[in-house]
Amino acid sequence: MPTILGQNQYGKAENRVVKITRDGDTHHIKDLNVSVALSGDMDDVHYSGSNANVLPTDTTKNTVFAFAKEHGIESAEQFGIHLARHFVSSQEPIHRARIRIEEYSWERIATSDGNSKFIGADEVKHSFVRKGQETRVSQITYDGEHWEVISGLKDLTVMNSTNSEFWGYVKDKYTTLKEAYDRILATDVSARWRYNWTSDEQRMPNWEKSYEQARKHMLHAFAETYSLSLQQTLYQMGSRIINSRSEIDEIRFSLPNNHHFLVDLEPFGLKNDNEVYFAADRPYGLIEATVLRDGVEPKIPVDMTNL
């Protein structure tokens, strides 16, 4: 039976680029992991091995580093837009470019006071420490006419030590879980949101401000929601972002329910008044959902494993 070629793409994955911007003695860091995927007229290279339309993946790697110098890195989204536009506009066989970026955040190390025994310790402005486990992510796709920008984060660990309940659920002969009227609610937030900026004719969002504000509204909603289920909290987090940020039309969450179980201390003659818990890392409940602006069609993939 004859075969035909289906969807295909190629590029250089996980190019680690660190850009230092020097403002006198004060330095600023952008630390990105950039993956490039290109698609277009690539039938011949698959059928006959002809590389006539193939831009080497090594060239895409070099472009990432050269653009860090030529354009700087204002934001992950803006950097991805520069790259996607370049590959599609400069290479006729390339019809679509997808740029995926992870950004690792750094914060300045607070220096000691002027009485430090170390010379100049109160003047250091170039030392940083990696911030937590949270990773900022972006995916920029361009086909020569239309843009799609999906941003978000992963591994943002949050916890409410109270103001969470779980009861009134379905019970059958296999149910052993006890109803909880005061429990810990904890999760590792993975979220992706889609911008409604799709054309160069539109005003481009302020990517840095938008990310900071989306993250802020997400955290505020998590902290301020009296939760009767993780699903309810998820919806409040998404709604707060959609209602507060006009440039965002859709957001999808994947939230593991990081269970914390009260430890039975009665064998030791001790009362556990919601004080001591066992943190179970698996198995875990996994709550996933999309929150949309009314009238908007969903476009973020349901499975965000590779997004």
Side-chain angles (χ1 to χ4, degrees), residues 110-304:
T111 54
S112 52
D113 58 37
N115 294 323
S116 170
K117 64 181 180 180
F118 298 106
I119 298 175
D122 55 338
E123 300 175 355
V124 174
K125 300 176 181 178
H126 56 260
S127 298
F128 302 84
V129 59
R130 267 285 295 272
K131 291 175 64 175
Q133 295 181 333
E134 172 191 346
T135 301
R136 178 175 171 177
V137 296
S138 300
Q139 175 175 293
I140 299 91
T141 305
Y142 182 54
D143 64 5
E145 294 184 8
H146 301 102
W147 295 94
E148 182 184 72
V149 179
I150 298 175
S151 297
L153 52 79
K154 61 181 181 179
D155 300 327
L156 177 64
T157 302
V158 293
M159 174 189 288
N160 283 333
S161 58
T162 188
N163 286 356
S164 176
E165 305 179 16
F166 187 61
W167 52 271
Y169 44 81
V170 174
K171 302 178 182 68
D172 66 10
K173 64 179 181 180
Y174 301 111
T175 302
T176 59
L177 184 69
K178 295 181 179 180
E179 293 187 335
Y181 296 89
D182 185 7
R183 67 169 183 168
I184 286 177
L185 183 67
T187 187
D188 301 312
V189 179
S190 180
R192 305 291 187 275
W193 50 86
R194 180 172 57 84
Y195 290 95
N196 49 40
W197 180 80
T198 59
S199 168
D200 287 320
E201 302 301 318
Q202 297 173 264
R203 182 180 178 181
M204 189 179 295
N206 182 324
W207 305 113
E208 293 293 277
K209 180 178 179 181
S210 183
Y211 176 85
E212 293 170 0
Q213 291 294 309
R215 182 182 184 276
K216 180 190 75 172
H217 290 301
M218 181 191 306
L219 291 176
H220 285 178
F222 179 84
E224 295 169 7
T225 299
Y226 191 102
S227 180
L228 300 178
S229 67
L230 184 51
Q231 287 92 330
Q232 177 195 19
T233 298
L234 178 155
Y235 184 74
Q236 291 300 317
M237 293 163 69
S239 295
R240 183 80 68 97
I241 293 173
I242 296 293
N243 290 330
S244 302
R245 303 305 304 177
S246 62
E247 72 274 20
I248 297 173
D249 276 355
E250 174 187 7
I251 180 167
R252 182 163 181 82
F253 290 97
S254 180
L255 304 182
N257 193 344
N258 296 337
H259 300 301
H260 290 69
F261 299 108
L262 277 171
V263 178
D264 181 10
L265 300 178
E266 289 188 2
F268 318 123
L270 301 172
K271 181 180 180 181
N272 191 356
D273 188 16
N274 290 338
E275 297 168 283
V276 181
Y277 296 82
F278 166 67
D281 63 348
R282 66 194 63 180
Y284 51 85
L286 184 59
I287 311 303
E288 299 177 307
T290 300
V291 182
L292 298 157
R293 191 177 304 281
D294 191 21
V296 170
E297 293 294 324
K299 294 184 179 180
I300 299 177
V302 170
D303 183 359
M304 300 195 304

Side-chain angles (χ1 to χ4, degrees), residues 18-71:
V18 175
K19 176 66 167 64
I20 307 296
T21 301
R22 292 172 169 82
D23 181 13
D25 291 334
T26 301
H27 296 180
H28 306 274
I29 292 179
K30 281 291 187 179
D31 185 351
L32 306 183
N33 189 18
V34 182
S35 294
V36 177
L38 308 176
S39 56
D41 294 332
M42 295 295 154
D43 288 3
D44 286 348
V45 68
H46 290 86
Y47 290 139
S48 68
S50 171
N51 293 312
N53 287 347
V54 175
L55 182 72
T57 64
D58 189 68
T59 302
T60 68
K61 174 203 69 177
N62 294 340
T63 305
V64 169
F65 292 107
F67 270 39
K69 169 62 177 179
E70 293 177 10
H71 298 282

